[in-house]
Amino acid sequence: MGRLEGKVCIITGAARGMGEATARLFAAEGARVILTDVLEAEGKSVAADIGENAEFHTLDVSNDQSWSEIVGAVQGKHGTIDVLINNAGLVHFTPIEHFNPDDAGKILGVNTVGPMLGAKNVVPVMKAAGKGSIVNISSVDGLRGCNGLTLYTASKWALRGLTKSLAYELGTSGVRVNSVHPGGVDTPMGNARGLPPDQLNMAFRRVPLQRIGQPDEVAQASLFLASDEASYVTGAELAVDGGWGAGYFQPVLPGAPEGLPP
């Protein structure tokens, strides 16, 4: 316990799923946690349940002004920002022949531009302190291609590239930037059909660890990268995918459209 004692951490997409698990874990490890999301009621409920070490702010990650206001408020209240977890994300299933360019603005705006804006706004605070950690939640699909997920995959590869570039750019300022690459995770986004655990695990039986991941397992990876234990780690890619990226596996959940992943 206490691996993040006294650190001020902003987590996007924290109203549920991996973001919620990360917020709960970070608070338990001594952090002051700022949960952000567009899901206001759910986010406030999670923050209230965590208790006095948590607060919620509504944030559209694709909006630069919203970021500026949140960062200003957090810095004004707490004096600094030690950690940014860029977790908010959207998935998008479309065969390329049905691709609609209008979708690109929405998906890239959240999955790629959002983390870029987050970094833009927190970096001056971190540079002034001479330290900080940014963790970008990418995907196993940021390490490989995936059938039917062209736009989503492109957004996650872009996030991987952003992570590498920022690690170079910010290293001399004491700011570390790393990416986490989850595989299948049992979250509202990863299990949109609400399937029971046995069916989910059956769909992932060809993944080396033969099951779907849990949100807390991804949160633990973010905890390491956010903590001082990772003081010499930057520009790294940490796969939390049950071994999915070690080979070719295409789990298909019951009821998924033919030819598309879960």
Side-chain angles (χ1 to χ4, degrees):
M1 303 296 287
R3 294 164 69 187
L4 297 178
E5 191 66 41
K7 293 186 183 295
V8 178
C9 306
I10 296 177
I11 303 171
T12 69
R16 60 185 186 180
M18 293 185 296
E20 176 185 351
T22 302
R24 291 184 183 278
L25 178 62
F26 279 24
E29 291 289 347
R32 179 70 192 187
V33 180
I34 290 82
L35 296 83
T36 71
D37 210 303
V38 293
L39 302 174
E40 185 173 348
E42 293 176 58
K44 287 181 176 179
S45 177
V46 173
D49 190 55
I50 291 173
E52 62 181 3
N53 285 337
E55 60 192 76
F56 176 79
H57 295 265
T58 302
L59 171 66
D60 173 2
V61 297
S62 65
N63 186 290
D64 191 22
Q65 183 61 34
S66 292
W67 269 112
S68 178
E69 292 171 359
I70 293 296
V71 169
V74 173
Q75 184 184 21
K77 182 175 180 180
H78 302 289
T80 191
I81 298 170
D82 300 289
V83 177
L84 169 63
I85 308 294
N86 282 312
N87 168 77
L90 297 173
V91 71
H92 185 269
F93 301 104
T94 303
I96 191 61
E97 61 266 32
H98 298 302
F99 169 65
N100 183 342
D102 292 339
D103 294 332
K106 181 178 181 181
I107 301 303
L108 294 173
V110 173
N111 293 1
T112 309
V113 176
M116 192 177 296
L117 291 175
K120 169 193 172 182
N121 283 278
V122 302
V123 159
V125 183
M126 292 181 173
K127 279 187 173 182
K131 60 185 178 67
S133 174
I134 298 173
V135 180
N136 293 322
I137 307 301
S138 180
S139 168
V140 65
D141 296 319
L143 300 171
R144 60 176 200 121
C146 188
N147 176 35
L149 280 172
T150 303
L151 178 55
Y152 176 80
T153 299
S155 74
K156 292 301 187 177
W157 274 79
L159 184 54
R160 178 186 179 194
L162 173 66
T163 301
K164 301 289 190 187
S165 294
L166 290 180
Y168 261 103
E169 180 178 338
L170 302 176
T172 55
S173 300
V175 180
R176 299 181 295 104
V177 189
N178 296 285
S179 58
V180 173
H181 297 258
V185 183
D186 189 3
T187 66
M189 187 170 80
N191 182 18
R193 299 176 187 87
L195 297 175
D198 58 337
Q199 291 189 45
L200 283 173
N201 290 334
M202 182 61 67
F204 284 82
R205 65 189 180 278
R206 294 186 61 203
V207 174
L209 293 187
Q210 300 183 310
R211 64 175 177 84
I212 196 168
Q214 296 301 312
D216 189 61
E217 293 177 302
V218 180
Q220 292 286 351
S222 295
L223 171 61
F224 167 67
L225 293 172
S227 75
D228 293 339
E229 297 164 21
S231 58
Y232 199 56
V233 180
T234 195
E237 304 159 356
L238 181 51
V240 188
D241 63 357
W244 191 348
Y248 177 76
F249 306 98
Q250 184 77 1
V252 178
L253 298 181
E258 184 177 354
L260 289 181

